[in-house]
Amino acid sequence: MEDILAILNDIHPGKDFAKGNDFFAQGVLDSLDLIALVAAIEARYNVFIDVEQIVPDNFKNLSAIKALLARQGVTI
Amino acid sequence: MKTEITSDSVRQMLLAGDTTLDPLSRLLERNLDAPKLKVSAAPYGQVFQILLNGAHPAWESQPDYLVIWTAPHLTLPSFGKLMRFESASHAEVLREAEQFAEAVLRAAEHVPLVILPTWILPASERWIQTLSWRQDVGLANPLAKANLVLAEKFDGTTNIVLLDAAYWQASLNRPAHDPRMYAVAKILYSQPLFEKAAAEIKSVLRGSLGLASKVIVCDLDNTLWGGVAADDGPNAIKLGAADPVGECFHAFQGVLKGLSSRGIILAICSKNEERFALSVIEDHPAMVLRKKDFAAWRINWKDKAGNLMELAEELNLGLDSFVFLDDSPQEREQVRQMLPQVFTPELPTSPSELAPFLASLNRFEVASLGREDTERTQSYQAERGRKEARELIGDVENWLRSLEIEVRASPLRRETLARVAQLLNKTNQFNLSLRRMDEESFWAWANDPDNSVFVFQVSDRFGDSGLTGMASLSKVGNDARIVDFVMSCRVMGKKVEEALLAYMCSQARANGADRILASAINGPRNAPVREFFAAKYSSGEEASLDCARVSVPATIQLTEDKLAPSVGV
C-alpha cells in the first residue's frame, strides 16, 4: 500500500491519497493521471492492465487499486 | 547579447502533434532541472494549423520552444496508404514530407527553438521483412527517406532540431507504442518513450542555454583503468585487449577521447603520486588518453572537493559545468556534499557499462542551437504580427485548398444519436449553448415538430474525421433560432464551422424564417464559438445573423445527404 501511495504522490505531490474514496470525482486525479498511474503500476508490479480495465472505477481509491492488482495475482 | 539564465526562470513550451501529447507535457513540467518549463499541449490534430497560422490560439502563450511530434502515417497521407498496402508512391510520401518541412520552416520564423522527434513506427508495422526496404512497397524505405527530407530541409537552420526518436525507441526495453492508450485517449506512445523523450528534450534545452557540462574530471585507479597502479604495478593494471575488463576500460577511454574531440574538456583528480601516475598515462601501451588530452590535473593526497575548486579556477569555468567521475562512493559523497553544483553521478558497477553510461547522462548536448536572447524574442513577436497580416493567411488558404475538405450534412438519425449526444456533452470550445442532455431527452427534443437537428461528417485527404459537427434549429414564431452549434476541436482551424453555419442558414431560409437568431452562452472555455458568431451578427442587431456574412468557404465542398428521413420539421 505504501508503494501505491508513493506512486500516487509522485503523480500528484501534496495530495492526501490515503483518505480519498474517489480520486476522480474529488478532482484529485484526471484522465491523464489515470494513464500515468496505469504505466507506473505496470512498471512497479510487472503486470499488464488490459484496455477494458483502464477505467476510473478501477483506480478511484486505494481499495479499488488493491482489488485490481489482486485480480492480477498481486497482493499488496 | 546573452541573457542571464537563472535556475528558476520558467520558459514556455508548446507541444503540437497528431496524437495526444499531454503525458509528455506533464513529464516535462515535472522535470525540475533548468530550464523549468510551463508546457501547453495543443489539441491534437492541429499541427498544420499551428505551423502555418501565427494567429492560431496555441501561439498565445508566446512559447520559447515548440515541440512538434507527429506520426508518419497520420501526417503523411500517402504513408498511411502504404501502411494499409494501398497504392501510393514513395515519391508522393516525400512530396508530403517536404510540404510538412516547409510548414515547420515557416513556424520556425516566429519561435526561438523548434524541436522535432523524427518519424518512427511501431515495431509491429515492420514485420514483412522481405518487403520492408523495397521501393514503392515497404515502409522502412520511405520512412528513412522522409526523415532524410526533414534533415536536409532543416540543414542550415539554427533553430530547428531533429531528435532521433528511433534511438529513443531502441533504447527502451519496453514497447515505444501502446495500442491500449491509443484506444483510451489517442496517446500513441508508451509512458517509457515519453519519459525518454522528456529527458532528451530537457537535455537539448540545457545545451541550448549553455547549461550543458563542459568538463569531465576523472579519477584514475578503477575509473580510467582497472586496478590500483601503485599497488598492482603499472604493468598489472587492467587496460587493453589482453583482458576483458581491460578492454572495457579501453573502450571507456575511447568515449572520453571522442568527447574531448567534440570540445569537452578532460581533467584528472586522483589520490596518487603525481609523477608516477603521469608516467603510467604516458607509458602504458594501451592508454587511449595521454597527458596532452588532459587540460589540467590535480594528482595529490588532498581532498577532492578542494582539488575540484582549484581545477575550476585554473580552467576558468564554473563548477556547475563539471562532471566528476570517481569509482569511490566515499569520494563521490564528499564531493556531492561539499560541491553540490558539480554533477557527480553514480558509476555503473560493471566496467562493461562504463562506455555506454556516459552517453546516457544526457549532459553533453551542443550549445549552438537556437538564439536565446530576449531581444530576439521581442523581434519575433513583432515579426509574428507582420507575418500574420501578410503571407501566413495566404499560406493557410493554400494549405486548406490542398486538404480537399468535404463536409456532408445529414439529418439526425437514431444511429447517429449516441455520437451526437457525446459531442453535445463533451464539447467545450466550440459549443454554442453548452447544454448537456442525455440521449433520450435529446432524441425527444429533436422529434418536436418545431425542432430540427443536423449532423456533419467531415473528411479530407488525410482521412475521415467522422461525425464531428452537430447543429439544431428551433422555430420561434416567424424566426428560426440556432439552439445548438457544436463542433469537435479535431476539425477546428479548417473553416468547417463556416460551412456548417452556411448550411444551417440555408435550412432556416428554406423553412421561411424571417430572422435567424443565435446567442452564445458565456462559458469558461467556449470563446472560440463566441468569437465566431460575434463576427456574423447583423450590425446593430445583437444575436441576429447577417446571412451576407455567412458562406461556404471555397476550400470546402459541402454536400447534403437527403436520402434519410428527416427528423422533426
Side-chain angles (χ1 to χ4, degrees):
Chain A
M1 208 52 102
E2 289 299 309
D3 283 343
I4 295 285
L5 280 172
I7 288 171
L8 288 164
N9 277 313
D10 192 46
I11 290 171
H12 259 303
K15 295 271 170 69
D16 186 0
F17 287 99
K19 294 203 185 97
N21 55 29
D22 190 338
F23 304 142
F24 298 94
Q26 290 164 326
V28 185
L29 295 181
D30 65 20
S31 58
L32 285 165
D33 295 323
L34 173 63
I35 307 295
L37 184 56
V38 169
I41 287 175
E42 287 187 327
R44 171 64 186 79
Y45 298 102
N46 197 25
V47 292
F48 177 80
I49 299 169
D50 210 346
V51 61
E52 73 266 22
Q53 306 284 318
I54 305 174
V55 290
D57 267 358
N58 281 334
F59 301 88
K60 66 181 179 184
N61 55 39
L62 292 179
S63 52
I65 297 171
K66 192 175 170 177
L68 174 80
L69 281 168
R71 292 200 292 279
Q72 302 268 355
V74 177
T75 314
I76 54 164
Chain B
M1 188 183 132
K2 197 164 163 61
T3 324
E4 195 185 344
I5 297 136
T6 53
S7 54
D8 54 353
S9 64
V10 177
R11 277 150 200 275
Q12 298 283 338
M13 177 181 277
L14 173 63
L15 305 186
D18 44 18
T19 58
T20 306
L21 296 176
D22 294 73
L24 178 63
S25 85
R26 298 219 168 164
L27 289 165
L28 285 165
E29 281 195 345
R30 282 172 197 167
N31 180 327
L32 296 179
D33 291 345
K36 285 184 192 145
L37 296 173
K38 174 88 184 70
V39 187
S40 54
Y44 75 89
Q46 297 271 307
V47 175
F48 277 94
Q49 290 93 318
I50 291 169
L51 294 181
L52 292 173
N53 182 2
H56 191 282
W59 289 107
E60 272 167 21
S61 63
Q62 303 198 329
D64 301 291
Y65 308 117
L66 170 66
V67 176
I68 308 160
W69 196 350
T70 58
H73 58 291
L74 298 176
T75 283
L76 310 174
S78 300
F79 197 95
K81 284 186 186 166
L82 286 171
M83 214 158 115
R84 299 185 295 271
F85 294 94
E86 292 168 19
S87 103
S89 75
H90 286 187
E92 185 62 10
V93 171
L94 300 187
R95 206 181 59 77
E96 290 162 3
E98 277 185 27
Q99 277 179 352
F100 172 77
E102 293 291 343
V104 173
L105 284 165
R106 178 55 48 82
E109 289 171 13
H110 50 98
V111 63
L113 186 62
V114 180
I115 294 171
L116 285 95
T118 50
W119 283 314
I120 56 171
L121 280 181
S124 57
E125 290 294 346
R126 307 180 77 162
W127 59 278
I128 303 180
Q129 290 288 312
T130 45
L131 301 181
S132 202
W133 283 93
R134 194 181 288 178
Q135 292 281 15
D136 287 326
V137 179
L139 294 179
N141 182 315
L143 183 66
K145 281 185 190 148
N147 277 318
L148 279 172
V149 164
L150 297 184
E152 283 158 16
K153 281 273 180 187
F154 303 149
D155 190 36
T157 65
T158 55
N159 69 329
I160 304 178
V161 197
L162 270 180
L163 299 185
D164 190 0
Y167 143 68
W168 301 346
Q169 188 174 21
S171 75
L172 302 179
N173 51 19
R174 293 164 62 197
H177 293 75
D178 191 335
R180 289 171 310 162
M181 296 312 181
Y182 195 71
V184 170
K186 290 286 181 288
I187 298 171
L188 185 60
Y189 310 109
S190 68
Q191 192 73 6
L193 186 70
F194 279 129
E195 286 166 8
K196 179 74 181 165
E200 296 283 340
I201 288 169
K202 281 303 280 264
S203 164
V204 168
L205 298 184
R206 278 198 302 275
S208 78
L209 294 170
L211 298 173
S213 299
K214 299 182 180 72
V215 184
I216 298 175
V217 184
C218 312
D219 174 45
L220 294 176
D221 293 324
N222 284 317
T223 301
L224 284 193
W225 55 69
V228 178
D231 293 348
D232 306 343
N235 296 322
I237 57 172
K238 291 180 174 175
L239 185 63
D243 169 296
V245 171
E247 182 65 30
C248 295
F249 283 102
H250 186 266
F252 180 51
Q253 288 199 18
V255 174
L256 288 168
K257 176 93 176 175
L259 283 169
S260 143
S261 306
R262 255 192 50 203
I264 304 293
I265 294 166
L266 302 182
I268 300 168
C269 183
S270 166
K271 285 184 174 161
N272 248 307
E273 208 268 304
E274 179 172 339
R275 205 157 53 158
F276 170 74
L278 289 177
S279 75
V280 176
I281 291 169
E282 277 304 90
D283 300 336
H284 194 287
M287 279 294 289
V288 179
L289 298 167
R290 299 291 185 188
K291 209 165 121 182
K292 65 172 169 43
D293 293 309
F294 296 98
W297 53 83
R298 288 293 178 280
I299 303 171
N300 55 41
W301 301 98
K302 293 196 269 186
D303 80 84
K304 294 209 170 180
N307 278 331
L308 285 168
M309 288 168 72
E310 282 186 28
L311 283 170
E313 200 172 312
E314 180 177 338
L315 296 169
N316 197 23
L317 283 164
L319 281 167
D320 54 4
S321 65
F322 276 48
V323 175
F324 177 56
L325 304 179
D326 197 310
D327 65 295
S328 155
Q330 292 79 22
E331 300 287 8
R332 291 200 298 264
E333 196 47 38
Q334 189 230 2
V335 168
R336 278 189 201 132
Q337 289 199 4
M338 295 183 65
L339 303 173
Q341 65 273 52
V342 171
F343 180 63
T344 307
E346 293 292 295
L347 290 201
T349 46
S350 163
S352 63
E353 292 301 315
L354 277 168
F357 145 84
L358 271 183
S360 74
L361 290 181
N362 288 334
R363 302 295 296 197
F364 308 106
E365 282 295 337
V366 297
S368 56
L369 289 177
R371 290 158 288 177
E372 273 296 332
D373 52 276
T374 41
E375 280 181 343
R376 212 172 62 95
T377 306
Q378 282 158 10
S379 77
Y380 276 134
Q381 284 155 13
E383 191 175 36
R384 189 183 306 167
R386 286 194 295 276
K387 287 213 177 274
E388 279 161 26
R390 284 203 321 271
E391 40 190 302
L392 285 179
I393 301 305
D395 285 344
V396 173
E397 281 296 313
N398 282 334
W399 172 70
L400 285 174
R401 198 164 299 124
S402 77
L403 285 181
E404 299 158 18
I405 302 168
E406 282 183 46
V407 174
R408 207 173 84 229
S410 53
L412 175 69
R413 277 177 258 162
R414 191 80 211 190
E415 309 88 274
T416 48
L417 177 64
R419 170 63 184 149
V420 165
Q422 187 188 32
L423 260 184
L424 182 67
N425 291 308
K426 290 268 173 76
T427 307
N428 293 312
Q429 294 190 71
F430 225 96
N431 189 336
L432 186 73
S433 72
L434 286 171
R435 63 175 181 160
R436 312 299 195 195
M437 289 171 92
D438 63 39
E439 285 183 30
E440 290 313 316
S441 323
F442 190 72
W443 183 248
W445 185 87
N447 278 293
D448 185 310
D450 281 339
N451 302 332
S452 47
V453 178
F454 300 92
V455 302
F456 301 91
Q457 311 253 2
V458 180
S459 61
D460 60 27
R461 68 188 180 95
F462 285 76
D464 193 343
S465 305
L467 202 167
T468 37
M470 182 276 282
S472 66
L473 279 175
S474 194
K475 195 167 178 299
V476 186
N478 290 330
D479 297 333
R481 169 170 290 280
I482 296 178
V483 180
D484 300 292
F485 194 87
V486 184
M487 199 180 73
S488 160
C489 60
R490 275 152 71 180
V491 292
M492 272 169 67
K494 295 177 180 174
K495 302 195 175 178
V496 169
E497 60 276 20
E498 301 275 355
L500 265 54
L501 188 59
Y503 183 78
M504 295 308 284
C505 286
S506 71
Q507 285 294 318
R509 280 196 303 262
N511 286 335
D514 287 347
R515 293 184 307 164
I516 304 167
L517 308 174
S519 38
I521 294 295
N522 218 336
R525 287 200 274 159
N526 70 342
V529 78
R530 277 185 273 129
E531 284 162 15
F532 171 66
F533 273 90
K536 304 296 180 194
Y537 292 136
S538 306
S539 38
E541 201 171 358
E542 192 70 7
S544 169
L545 297 177
D546 176 0
C547 287
R549 298 184 189 193
V550 179
S551 63
V552 181
T555 51
I556 293 180
Q557 196 196 342
L558 176 69
T559 59
E560 195 177 9
D561 179 4
K562 279 184 170 164
L563 294 173
S566 177
V567 170
V569 187

